[in-house]
Amino acid sequence: MKRKLILLLLAAVLLSGCASYERVQNPPRVTVGGSNTVAVLFFDNFTDDYAITHEVEQEIVKTLSGYYRVLPPSETEWALVRLGLLRGHSPDRDQAVRLGQMLGVDAVVVGEVSGYFQPVTQTPPYPTGRTKVDERTGQLLSQYEYLESTKVMVGFTGRVMETRTGNVIHRLRVEGQADTERKEILRFPYEWWPPNRKPTAWDVPAPSYSQVPYVRQSAIRQAVSQFTADLMPTYTWVRVDD
């Protein structure tokens, strides 16, 4: 059997000849032209979370930087001030052209974060299936646990305006969602519960938001990936004969 496998591998090598494969970069579906320089402006915030827009902006900068030269919001603020643009005031076509001249960029990215939710839910306690005998009373004690689910949902609309004409060349409304679950043993007021005292939902501790930062980052990354998909190059493997 081993010899047969070796012969099959040798045959495959001989049939492939001298062919090899190379990774080829394909241009984005949406091109900004020029020197591939982009400025990410401040996103407006329609949520109750004051920090969410900053995190979305930073993730967009990080993602686009894999292909473009990107100016982050901190480097574009002076130009916005000179034009009298504040958060909540997206540039019009003439202002987009002016920003391109002032910042030396081919396109500007603007938008608004319109939705953010981070619900943490818990199930009622349920038996784990583990038991032990109380040495003092002889009662069969049971162990209980509960399931805690953390979910984060982020929604934003992004637009890319090319600065030669001020036209919007890319507009997309995206939503990112991520979640995680964890099981916790119910330990108060007992870890092992007697048969005459089964726990209820009132015995479950207050929800923990410790998983929110990690889940939040994943949801933002997912949303930004959707928005930037057509702005980034794709890659394919192409056969090359020597």
Side-chain angles (χ1 to χ4, degrees), residues 120-122 146 148 182 184 186 201-210:
V120 178
T121 58
Q122 298 170 321
Y146 62 94
E148 185 173 85
R182 68 186 184 99
E184 287 291 325
L186 197 59
W202 293 101
D203 295 303
V204 176
S208 168
Y209 289 82
S210 61

Side-chain angles (χ1 to χ4, degrees), residues 126 135 149 203:
Y126 55 89
E135 296 179 356
S149 301
D203 295 303

Side-chain angles (χ1 to χ4, degrees), residues 28-146:
R29 292 183 180 181
V30 177
T31 57
V32 303
S35 58
N36 267 11
T37 304
V38 176
V40 177
L41 308 184
F42 291 107
F43 272 52
D44 197 18
N45 192 352
F46 294 146
T47 77
D48 294 329
D49 191 296
Y50 73 93
I52 189 66
T53 49
H54 174 73
E55 294 176 40
V56 168
E57 292 160 3
Q58 293 304 306
E59 187 63 29
I60 291 175
V61 170
K62 177 182 175 182
T63 302
L64 293 179
S65 294
Y67 182 68
Y68 301 91
R69 186 172 73 87
V70 183
L71 299 185
S74 59
E75 295 183 22
T76 65
E77 185 175 8
W78 67 271
L80 297 174
V81 171
R82 286 187 60 181
L83 288 179
L85 286 171
L86 303 174
R87 282 188 181 271
H89 296 83
S90 296
D92 58 27
R93 294 178 61 178
D94 293 338
Q95 290 169 330
V97 172
R98 185 76 179 111
L99 283 170
Q101 296 169 347
M102 296 169 68
L103 297 170
V105 298
D106 305 304
V108 294
V109 181
V110 297
E112 53 275 337
V113 180
S114 54
Y116 178 74
F117 307 95
Q118 56 175 41
V120 178
T121 58
Q122 298 170 321
T123 65
Y126 55 89
T128 64
R130 293 185 287 272
T131 60
K132 75 172 186 178
V133 176
D134 188 324
E135 296 179 356
R136 183 174 59 86
T137 65
Q139 288 183 316
L140 184 66
L141 306 178
S142 301
Q143 191 179 57
Y144 286 79
E145 66 185 6
Y146 62 94

